Amino acid sequence: MDIVEHTADQLVLRPGDPGYDDELAGFQTGFTQRPAVVFGASSTRDVAAAVAYAAERGLPVGVHATGHGLPGDSDGGVLITTKRMDGITVDPGARTVRVQAGVRWGQVVAAAAPYGLAPLNGSAPSVGAVSYTLSGGLGILAREFGYAADHVRSLKVVTADGRPGTVTRASDPDLYWALLGGGHNFGVVTELETGLVPVARLYGGSVSFDGRAVDPAAVLRAYKEWTETVPDGLTSSFAAVPYPDIPVLPPYLRGRYVLSVRVAYTGTDGGQLVAPLREIGPVLTDSLREMPYAESHTIHSDPDFPHAYYGDSAVLSELDTEAAARLLARTGPDAPAMCVLQINHLGGALAKEAPNSVPHREGRFLLRLLTTGERGGARAVLDPAFTEVAPWTIGRALNFAFGAGDRTEGLYDTGTRKRLAGLKAQYDPANLFRRNYNVTS
């Protein structure tokens, strides 16, 4: 057996060791990982030791923080877990925050709130801040402020040679560009510094309808028409969820097909802007209100318990209402497996160019589909649904390739992929890092 050199604080586990399975546990329970060695890192030094170990033996390296995403196939390789690296430092004067690789967005929101500041976090507080940002980061205020990746000032990264360093746009413009959009494919980011926005309160929440009492296609059509009237600073999404009839759910959700419009807006006229939504049909629930930013996680109320899921996404140039009606029919209560559909309104600041590799900025909507079950069965449900919007699909979103990161097509446009592949050959010629996808393929 190889002797693994590591620091006193670092945990090193192999299959069969006590604690091995617990170290691999995360939010996503649908996919198992069996790496040859797991390094439980507590510092950048620990990460550097793990990368050096893998490089010497030609083993692939994956990174696992909170488990919402997956590091790809780590069987036989090295997996670095970063959940112990949870340091947060807010600089209220500079409006920045430094976060280590294991920090979750809920922690950052709580740390920034006392200063009247907010990060560009996503909808779920338990998502890891660093990996989310490296994959772009489509947040609840995205149309006003852009992608989370657009606001990163610097990154601490361990590259394939096992050396830690600090990357900024000025110091290493190519690696900076590749990391922000290309993710851990170019190294293990152990910390990043990013900008905060001066937002203490917002207008947000959701309004929902019973999909069996109204025409789902009519609700989605009304939502699309409404998005054409709102200012760039208003961010919203449409969701369709067929809830099972099980006791753990509130009575008003059991067995219902719920259609929801979620809204987040920092302007003062939010109540006026959302008024048309309340006229779509009989309202099932309505939580639209002014709230402290610290309550922004209630807008989507994403599940906070580990579970199994598989999903994918499509960035759309347009939302065709006839195709959308067929899509809803395929993914509704009569689908062969439970499907969760979400459509995000893009545009606004998301369309602005930035010095990073986040692609498909011309997209107008993002379709996200989730389902349960093993990969083959899930694709049998999802693929026909995505076919309905194929004529308007310009790509996929890496943040929302839930278990489908093994499919590389569409994650980047041709020019971005070509540049990423060239930088991959420069910074990681042995293809040590294989985070969710492989830009060399």
Side-chain angles (χ1 to χ4, degrees), residues 189-282:
V189 174
T190 62
E191 180 181 300
L192 60 77
E193 179 185 17
T194 189
L196 299 170
V197 294
V199 175
R201 303 184 66 83
L202 78 162
Y203 185 88
S206 68
V207 57
S208 68
F209 311 89
D210 186 341
R212 299 183 190 275
V214 296
D215 178 6
V219 176
L220 181 53
R221 183 166 58 249
Y223 168 70
K224 185 209 171 181
E225 292 171 353
W226 175 76
T227 63
E228 296 168 356
T229 69
V230 301
D232 283 351
L234 190 150
T235 305
S236 68
S237 62
F238 169 90
V241 184
Y243 287 96
D245 187 2
I246 54 178
V248 297
L249 291 174
Y252 70 91
L253 291 180
R254 289 184 198 171
R256 276 204 163 101
Y257 182 35
V258 179
L259 314 172
S260 302
V261 177
R262 291 88 166 258
V263 174
Y265 180 58
T266 63
T268 59
D269 56 342
Q272 296 171 258
L273 291 173
V274 303
L277 297 177
R278 295 183 168 118
E279 302 300 321
I280 291 176

Side-chain angles (χ1 to χ4, degrees), residues 19-26 83:
Y20 175 87
D21 291 331
D22 290 340
E23 189 68 14
L24 298 178
K83 58 188 175 184

